[in-house]
C-alpha cells in the first residue's frame, strides 16, 4: 500500500517512532535496478482498452532514451496527450489540497468552538469543499471544463476522462467517474501533487506503533506519573458482537456474549455496514430494563406531530393522545432511520495473487519479449471485456502477479492470462461469497449525495438520550 506524503497524521506518527517505522519506495519490488541500465523487471503504467488496444503505455515510450531522460520525457508526453484537461484537473486537485490543509490547523486548535464540527458536511463547508462533496465526479469534471471527448481530437491526443480518470477510479474504487462522489474523485488524484511512500514491513506497523506511542505519551503526562500508563493503555484482540448503552456506561460484549469491558466512550473505526456489531440500548423510558432496543445511531428527535400529544389528547385537548407520552427511547422521542450512506452496500472487489505465471502478453497486445508496464489499469471498456480492473506484475522472474476484479477469476480466465502452470497463492473476495451483505471493499458512492445524507461524528450521545 502507498501513503501520500501530505497525510500529516501518518507522517507525524512515523516521525514519532523512527526506530520502528521506516519509509520505503512506493510500489517497490524490493530489487535494485540493474547497473547496466537494462530493465529486468517491468516498469511504468499502462491503460488497457480491451481487444489489444492501449490508451497509454509508458513502458514502451522513448525506449532509445537513457532512463534519466525518460523520466522527464514521459510526464511531458502525458501532458501533451491530455493537454488542457490535464492542467485543469491538476489545478483543481491543488486547490482541494490547499483547502484540506486547513483541516489540520482546526484539529490542532482546541480553544475555539468554531473548530468543532458535528459531522463531515459541516467540516467540508468550513474549508470550502462542500460543493465537490455533494455532486458526482462526472458533474464536477463538467464544471471544471474537462471534456467528455464526444468531439474531434488532434491525432495522438487522448481522452483524459475516459482513459486516465476512469482507469484510476475503477482501480481504486471499482466505479466509473459518473458514479463517483466529486470530492472522492479529486482525492484519488492527490498523489499527483505530492510525495508517495510505503511503510516498510506493511501498514499494520502503524497500529502497533500507535499503541507504543500512546503508552509513552500517557506515561510522560501528568496522569501517568503514577506509573500506571502501561495498564491504562491496553490493546485487546477480540471479536466484538454487541455494544449496549446503559445510563452510565457503554458495555462491550464478545460475539459469544462475554463481557469485554464497560467504557465511557466507544469509538467505531469501521463503517457500520461492515462492523457486524449489534448496537443496543436499555430503555430510558422506564420500561422493562431487560428488553434491549436498537441504539438510535441517527440521533433522537422530539415528536413534533401536533395530533400526537399525550397531555392534551390532540389539538382539541381534553383526552388521551393516540400514543404514549414515551417510547423505548424516552419521553416523546423517536429515532429516525439511518441515511443511505450508513446502509448502502459496499462494492465487491476480488484480490487474486498468482505465482509461477507465464504472462500471456500477446493476449493483451503487448510484445512477448517486452517491455511491459508493471501496473496495468483498464478503461470501462477494458474492464467489461477482460473482467479485471487492475493487473500488477510484482515479479517477472518469479511469475508473481496480482489482480483486482469485480468477480472471481475462473480457471479458464487465469489460464488465458497466466498459463497452465500458474499457482493461486491468495484469493480474497471482499463483499463476495465470504463477506455477504457486510463486506465490500469501497463504498458505493452512487454519484453525488444530498447534504442531509451524512452521519454525525458522534453516533450515539448517551447524555442526550438519558436526559
Amino acid at each position: 500500500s502507498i501513503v501520500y506524503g501530505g497525510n500529516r497524521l501518518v507522517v507525524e506518527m512515523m516521525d514519532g517512532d523512527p526506530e520502528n517505522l521506516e519509509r520505503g519506495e512506493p510500489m517497490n519490488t524490493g530489487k535494485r535496478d540493474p547497473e547496466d541500465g537494462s530493465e529486468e523487471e517491468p516498469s511504468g503504467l499502462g491503460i488497457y482498452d480491451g481487444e489489444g488496444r492501449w490508451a497509454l503505455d509508458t513502458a514502451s515510450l522513448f525506449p532509445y532514451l537513457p532512463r534519466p531522460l525518460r523520466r522527464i520525457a514521459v510526464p511531458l508526453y502525458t501532458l501533451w496527450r491530455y493537454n488542457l484537461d490535464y492542467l485543469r484537473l491538476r489545478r483543481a486537485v491543488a486547490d482541494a489540497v490547499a483547502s484540506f490543509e486547513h483541516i489540520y490547523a482546526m484539529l490542532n486548535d482546541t480553544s475555539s468552538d468554531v473548530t468543532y464540527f458535528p459531522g463531515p458536511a459541516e467540516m467540508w463547508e468550513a474549508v470550502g469543499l462542500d460543493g465537490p462533496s455533494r455532486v458526482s465526479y462526472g458533474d464536477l469534471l463538467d464544471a471544471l471544463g474537462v471534456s467528455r471527448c464526444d468531439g474531434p481530437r488532434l491525432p495522438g491526443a487522448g481522452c483524459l476522462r475516459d482513459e486516465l480518470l476512469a482507469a484510476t477510479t475503477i482501480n481504486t474504487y471499482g466505479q466509473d467517474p459518473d458514479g463517483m462522489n466529486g470530492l472522492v474523485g479529486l482525492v484519488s488524484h492527490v498523489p499527483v501533487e505530492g510525495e508517495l511512500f510505503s511503510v516498510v514491513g506493511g501498514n499494520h506497523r502503524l497500529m502497533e506503533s500507535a499503541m507504543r506511542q500512546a503508552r509513552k505519551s500517557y506515561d510522560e503526562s501528568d496522569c501517568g506519573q503514577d506509573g500506571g500508563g502501561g495498564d491504562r493503555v491496553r490493546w485487546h484482540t477480540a471479536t466484538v458482537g454487541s455494544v449496549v448503552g446503559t445510563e452510565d456506561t457503554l458495555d462491550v460484549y464478545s460475539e459469544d456474549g462475554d463481557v469485554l469491558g464497560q467504557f465511557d466512550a466507544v469509538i467505531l473505526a469501521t463503517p457500520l455496514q461492515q462492523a457486524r456489531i449489534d448496537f443496543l440500548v436499555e430503555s430510558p423510558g422506564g420500561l422493562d430494563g431487560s428488553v434491549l432496543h436498537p441504539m438510535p445511531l441517527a440521533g433522537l428527535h422530539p415528536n413534533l406531530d401536533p395530533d400526537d400529544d399525550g397531555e392534551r389528547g390532540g389539538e382539541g385537548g381534553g383526552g388521551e393522545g393516540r400514543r404514549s407520552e414515551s417510547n423505548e427511547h424516552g419521553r416523546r422521542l423517536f429515532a429516525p432511520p439511518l441515511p443511505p450512506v450508513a446502509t448502502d452496500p459496499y462494492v465487491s472487489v476480488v484480490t487474486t495473487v498468482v505465482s509461477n505465471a507465464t504472462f500471456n502478453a500477446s493476449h493483451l497486445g503487448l510484445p512477448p519479449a517486452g517491455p511491459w508496464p508493471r501496473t496495468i489499469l483498464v478503461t470501462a471498456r477494458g474492464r467489461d471485456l477482460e473482467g479485471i480492473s487492475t493487473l500488477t506484475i510484482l515479479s517477472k522472474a518469479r511469475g508473481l502477479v496480482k489482480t483486482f476484479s469485480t468477480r472471481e477469476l475462473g480457471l479458464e480466465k487465469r489460464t488465458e492470462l497466466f498459463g497452465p502452470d500458474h499457482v493461486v497463492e491468495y484469493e480474497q473476495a471482499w463483499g463476495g461469497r465470504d463477506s455477504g451483505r457486510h463486506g465490500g471493499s469501497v463504498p458505493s458512492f452512487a454519484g453525488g449525495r444530498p447534504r442531509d445524507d451524512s452521519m454525525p461524528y458522534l453516533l450515539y450521545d448517551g447524555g442526550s438520550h438519558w436526559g
Side-chain angles (χ1 to χ4, degrees):
S1 183
I2 59 174
V3 182
Y4 170 54
N7 188 331
R8 290 196 199 175
L9 299 179
V10 175
V11 170
E12 290 175 2
M13 185 180 296
M14 296 195 69
D15 291 343
D17 192 7
E19 295 181 358
N20 297 289
L21 295 177
E22 178 184 357
R23 294 192 187 196
E25 293 295 324
M27 297 180 290
N28 186 20
T29 63
K31 291 190 174 185
R32 296 183 180 275
D33 292 333
E35 295 181 359
D36 61 4
S38 64
E39 295 186 3
E40 295 180 354
E41 292 290 342
S43 64
L45 170 71
I47 300 177
Y48 184 62
D49 195 42
E51 297 181 327
R53 294 165 43 181
W54 289 83
L56 181 67
D57 179 9
T58 65
S60 64
L61 292 175
F62 314 112
Y64 49 84
L65 291 178
R67 186 173 302 172
L69 292 181
R70 287 189 69 235
R71 290 173 177 166
I72 299 174
V74 169
L76 291 176
Y77 171 83
T78 305
L79 177 59
W80 173 82
R81 180 172 179 82
Y82 299 123
N83 51 75
L84 291 178
D85 285 345
Y86 189 67
L87 294 176
R88 292 186 182 107
L89 177 70
R90 292 197 62 165
R91 183 175 62 184
V93 171
D95 291 343
V97 170
S99 297
F100 194 86
E101 288 292 317
H102 295 303
I103 294 177
Y104 294 110
M106 292 187 294
L107 285 174
N108 291 327
D109 181 4
T110 60
S111 61
S112 175
D113 290 342
V114 299
T115 60
Y116 291 85
F117 303 98
E122 292 78 10
M123 183 182 68
W124 297 137
E125 184 177 22
V127 298
L129 294 175
D130 184 49
S133 73
R134 291 190 287 120
V135 300
S136 74
Y137 191 30
D139 289 342
L140 178 62
L141 294 175
D142 289 340
L144 296 175
V146 176
S147 171
R148 284 192 175 268
C149 307
D150 48 6
R153 298 196 298 270
L154 294 174
C159 178
L160 179 70
R161 186 189 292 248
D162 293 345
E163 297 175 7
L164 186 59
L165 301 192
T168 302
T169 57
I170 289 172
N171 166 69
T172 310
Y173 300 104
Q175 297 160 77
D176 300 335
D178 287 337
M180 291 287 300
N181 175 272
L183 181 58
V184 177
L186 283 182
V187 168
S188 67
H189 297 281
V190 163
V192 174
E193 298 297 321
E195 173 199 8
L196 295 176
F197 64 90
S198 62
V199 180
V200 175
N203 286 357
H204 66 90
R205 296 178 66 90
L206 291 172
M207 180 57 69
E208 296 169 357
S209 175
M211 297 304 300
R212 284 193 296 268
Q213 294 188 55
R215 292 190 182 100
K216 180 180 178 182
S217 297
Y218 185 88
D219 287 340
E220 293 176 352
S221 69
D222 294 338
C223 299
Q225 295 304 313
D226 58 0
D231 294 331
R232 293 297 299 274
V233 182
R234 289 173 288 177
W235 185 357
H236 293 283
T237 301
T239 301
V240 175
S242 61
V243 176
V244 178
T246 71
E247 186 171 3
D248 301 313
T249 62
L250 289 168
D251 301 344
V252 179
Y253 295 86
S254 72
E255 60 180 353
D256 297 326
D258 299 327
V259 178
L260 298 177
Q262 295 180 320
F263 303 92
D264 297 319
V266 171
I267 298 174
L268 179 66
T270 194
L272 283 172
Q273 294 94 320
Q274 296 180 324
R276 308 193 197 192
I277 297 173
D278 293 323
F279 293 92
L280 306 169
V281 65
E282 294 180 356
S283 174
L287 303 178
D288 188 351
S290 63
V291 179
L292 301 178
H293 306 277
M295 187 178 288
L297 296 177
L300 287 166
H301 299 284
N303 191 343
L304 302 180
D305 185 355
D307 293 328
D308 182 19
D309 191 327
E311 294 179 356
R312 296 186 297 109
E315 292 186 355
E320 294 185 359
R322 289 179 294 179
R323 300 178 190 171
S324 169
E325 289 189 36
S326 63
N327 57 26
E328 68 270 23
H329 297 298
R331 182 177 175 82
R332 286 158 48 199
L333 295 174
F334 71 93
L338 292 169
V341 70
T343 57
D344 285 348
Y346 271 39
V347 174
S348 174
V349 176
V350 180
T351 303
T352 306
V353 178
V354 301
S355 63
N356 200 42
T358 303
F359 181 53
N360 188 1
S362 60
H363 173 73
L364 300 180
L366 292 171
W372 306 335
R374 180 174 184 266
T375 299
I376 298 174
L377 309 183
V378 297
T379 62
R381 181 175 182 271
R383 174 198 57 193
D384 295 340
L385 290 173
E386 294 296 338
I388 61 174
S389 55
T390 309
L391 186 150
T392 303
I393 303 174
L394 301 175
S395 172
K396 179 181 178 181
R398 296 170 53 196
L400 196 61
V401 183
K402 179 174 72 172
T403 65
F404 293 147
S405 58
T406 55
R407 296 181 299 274
E408 298 171 17
L409 300 181
L411 177 61
E412 181 179 353
K413 185 63 180 180
R414 296 199 311 268
T415 302
E416 181 181 54
L417 291 172
F418 310 127
D421 299 324
H422 73 274
V423 177
V424 177
E425 299 285 351
Y426 175 82
E427 185 180 61
Q428 175 66 52
W430 307 98
R433 65 177 190 274
D434 297 326
S435 301
R437 65 184 180 87
H438 299 287
S441 177
V442 292
S444 178
F445 292 103
R449 292 189 183 277
R451 182 177 174 82
D452 57 358
D453 184 13
S454 63
M455 291 295 292
Y457 290 127
L458 187 62
L459 294 179
Y460 173 70
D461 183 356
S464 173
H465 194 184
W466 293 85

